[in-house]
Amino acid sequence: NALSPHIDDLLSRGVSVVLDFPGNTRIQRQWFRELFEGANVEHELHFIDVPDDLCKRQLQQRSAALPADTAWTTDAEFDAITAWFQPPAVDENFNVIHHERE
């Protein structure tokens, strides 16, 4: 609610806006749709398609340098979070830019 009017104003003025917010579910992506449709502007949805094992390895690598008492994402937490993930579907009508990593 706090950001939508500001983003709408920027888009309506022709300013490109990059949102680095989770769009992990259809419901979360609905907000993005409301923004670009409300401003009547083009959009791109970047979908970074990465296997879970690669994500977990990267999390472990990043966490290795953290101080011993620092909380970090465990494999179990990762699995619990990603269980809710819904990839963008064709019927959502987004202009999806698909990035695949192996």
Side-chain angles (χ1 to χ4, degrees):
N1 290 338
L3 290 175
S4 293
H6 179 61
I7 294 168
D8 183 58
D9 182 56
L10 291 171
L11 291 172
S12 297
R13 294 173 187 261
V15 176
S16 293
V17 176
V18 176
L19 299 175
D20 186 11
F21 288 93
N24 296 338
T25 65
R26 291 176 77 99
I27 291 171
Q28 289 173 325
R29 290 188 293 272
Q30 183 58 38
W31 178 57
F32 299 144
R33 174 164 299 290
E34 291 168 7
L35 292 170
F36 68 77
E37 284 182 348
N40 194 31
V41 296
E42 292 295 318
H43 73 281
E44 292 179 349
L45 175 66
H46 289 259
F47 172 37
I48 303 171
D49 193 357
V50 180
D52 286 353
D53 62 326
L54 175 57
C55 291
K56 289 176 181 180
R57 279 197 314 272
Q58 289 177 325
L59 281 169
Q60 290 169 353
Q61 289 169 350
R62 283 187 225 141
S63 300
L66 295 174
D69 60 343
T70 303
W72 54 279
T73 305
T74 65
D75 285 356
E77 290 168 330
F78 177 88
D79 291 336
I81 293 166
T82 58
W84 295 98
F85 179 74
Q86 300 169 318
V90 172
D91 69 330
E92 291 181 89
N93 296 315
F94 281 101
N95 297 329
V96 177
I97 309 299
H98 191 169
H99 306 272
E100 252 184 291
R101 292 191 51 209
E102 297 293 325

